[in-house]
Amino acid sequence: MPATGSSRAERRSVRQRRVMVACAIAVAGLIGYGWGASTAKTVTTSTYVTTAYVGDHIFSATVDGAGFGAATSVSWYDAAGSFHERGWPECLSTIGVQQTVVFGGMWVTGADPGTAMTQVAWVDCRGR
């Protein structure tokens, strides 16, 4: 049976709706990407030189009233300047002492508004 004019119009209408839906999805995706890119945050690490307590694979320090610390493993630079992604810094091997530590510290915003915590990004054992 040959197609009638109304069935051709229905098929065209269905195709047009599909194209419109695809275009709407693409536009929504672009808007979402643009919003996400514009609200992206950057993290800034500050370098601190301070006296810290050194324990067995742990150190803690206070800078301007804020506590910083690391335990078990942290990124670090050895005396020759080589970067180690994890492990324990060789310059923090004397347990039970207070010593000068150079480290990169940052503030991390918490999940709840107004909350933040400190994080140690790396320790520098190059002996500046």
Side-chain angles (χ1 to χ4, degrees):
M1 180 182 218
T4 64
S6 66
S7 64
R8 281 186 195 152
E10 288 173 5
R11 284 193 301 252
R12 191 174 319 138
S13 175
V14 168
R15 273 185 275 161
Q16 288 173 340
R17 278 185 270 168
R18 287 181 183 164
V19 169
M20 288 178 66
V21 167
C23 287
I25 291 171
V27 168
L30 288 172
I31 290 170
Y33 173 79
W35 178 80
S38 70
T39 59
K41 305 293 184 225
T42 57
V43 175
T44 304
T45 304
S46 298
T47 300
Y48 298 108
V49 180
T50 190
T51 302
Y53 171 79
V54 178
D56 184 17
H57 288 86
I58 188 169
F59 89 88
S60 61
T62 303
V63 177
D64 295 332
F68 287 89
T72 309
S73 181
V74 65
S75 298
W76 60 288
Y77 294 92
D78 63 24
S82 296
F83 181 74
H84 302 266
E85 209 171 297
R86 63 184 71 80
W88 195 248
E90 60 193 16
C91 60
L92 300 180
S93 61
T94 305
I95 298 170
V97 299
Q98 289 191 341
Q99 71 180 69
T100 300
V101 177
V102 179
F103 67 94
M106 58 191 159
W107 287 90
V108 180
T109 303
D112 295 326
T115 62
M117 58 202 115
T118 58
Q119 182 71 42
V120 173
W122 44 262
V123 172
D124 191 344
C125 293
R126 290 179 279 196
R128 297 180 191 206

